[in-house]
Amino acid sequence: MVTFYRPTINEEAFFNYRVGTSMNVQIIVDSDYNILNIRVCPGSNNDRFVWQFSEAKEYMEDLRADENFPNRYYIIGDSGYTPSRVLLTSDLNAAEGSPAHVYTLEHVRTRCIVERTIGILTNVWLVINRSRKLHYSPEAVVNIIHACAVLHNFRRRQGILDENDHNFQPAELRDDVNRRGRGEAAEYAAGIAERNHIITQHFM
């Protein structure tokens, strides 16, 4: 989430009830903290909405439907997202010590990579740090966010690392439960079935 001063046009589109006027930034990263995909939307859109209409979701679903591509890859997300065949969330109701609980621990541990990437990105490029508020138009804010992401990847791939990059510890991960829309019921059911299949195959 990147905050900026209220625009004069379409202010309601950028208003987030938690932080005020903002952009919602969604990133997909690899295990080396490189940003593979970034999507910036007005702050009134929640994470679930941003993912639901993203090219990344469409790409993952096309990949799953390709019979010539037998391997299964997944996006890891928190419970702000609707689970699906291509996006896995943790099981908030898993009993301690159960296979689902072990799966959830591994899920959260893996998702820490995203949190660390966000921490590195915003601690190096302070212009998009949550403690700052930008004095630019929404269009300029989007360009700044994209520029910081490009520079982040360049910095990582050139081996330009600070000591803090390795020592950065993300804030405690929280799973926020959101209500699902009726249109997502089938997708949700398929996501739960996919998650249960993974738990049965790999954690039992």
Side-chain angles (χ1 to χ4, degrees), residues 26-29 36-39 49-64 73-75 81 84 86-87 187:
Q26 183 181 86
I27 62 172
I28 299 173
V29 306
L36 304 180
N37 180 272
I38 185 167
R39 188 162 190 237
F49 179 89
V50 175
W51 165 254
Q52 194 69 24
F53 297 96
S54 68
E55 291 182 358
K57 179 178 183 290
E58 183 178 347
Y59 174 80
M60 290 294 295
E61 290 177 342
D62 288 345
L63 203 62
R64 178 59 57 84
Y73 293 98
Y74 299 93
I75 299 293
Y81 296 92
S84 70
V86 298
L87 189 146
E187 184 175 15

Side-chain angles (χ1 to χ4, degrees), residues 132-153:
R132 305 292 180 93
K133 183 171 285 191
L134 299 179
H135 295 258
Y136 300 101
S137 68
E139 294 80 9
V141 171
V142 172
N143 290 335
I144 290 170
I145 294 169
H146 284 158
C148 290
V150 170
L151 290 170
H152 167 86
N153 282 349

Side-chain angles (χ1 to χ4, degrees), residues 36-174:
L36 304 180
N37 180 272
I38 185 167
R39 188 162 190 237
V40 184
C41 290
S44 63
N45 299 304
N46 61 29
D47 294 341
R48 186 173 67 248
F49 179 89
V50 175
W51 165 254
Q52 194 69 24
F53 297 96
S54 68
E55 291 182 358
K57 179 178 183 290
E58 183 178 347
Y59 174 80
M60 290 294 295
E61 290 177 342
D62 288 345
L63 203 62
R64 178 59 57 84
D66 188 349
E67 296 180 355
N68 297 317
F69 197 83
N71 296 314
R72 290 190 173 186
Y73 293 98
Y74 299 93
I75 299 293
I76 300 294
D78 62 33
S79 62
Y81 296 92
T82 299
S84 70
R85 295 185 308 154
V86 298
L87 189 146
L88 300 177
T89 62
S90 55
D91 186 348
L92 300 179
N93 300 313
E96 187 171 354
S98 67
H101 182 251
V102 177
Y103 156 83
T104 296
L105 293 177
E106 291 298 322
H107 182 282
V108 172
R109 187 176 295 115
T110 302
R111 208 173 79 237
C112 273
I113 296 174
V114 179
E115 302 297 327
R116 289 194 182 98
T117 302
I118 294 171
I120 294 168
L121 178 66
T122 57
N123 279 292
V124 172
W125 312 106
L126 295 178
V127 67
I128 58 172
N129 192 286
R130 287 189 177 184
S131 63
R132 305 292 180 93
K133 183 171 285 191
L134 299 179
H135 295 258
Y136 300 101
S137 68
E139 294 80 9
V141 171
V142 172
N143 290 335
I144 290 170
I145 294 169
H146 284 158
C148 290
V150 170
L151 290 170
H152 167 86
N153 282 349
F154 177 81
R155 181 176 176 270
R156 302 292 306 178
R157 291 168 182 172
Q158 295 299 314
I160 306 172
L161 308 178
D162 293 337
E163 182 179 349
N164 291 335
D165 286 8
H166 302 288
N167 297 329
F168 176 78
Q169 294 296 324
E172 181 181 359
L173 293 176
R174 285 197 316 259

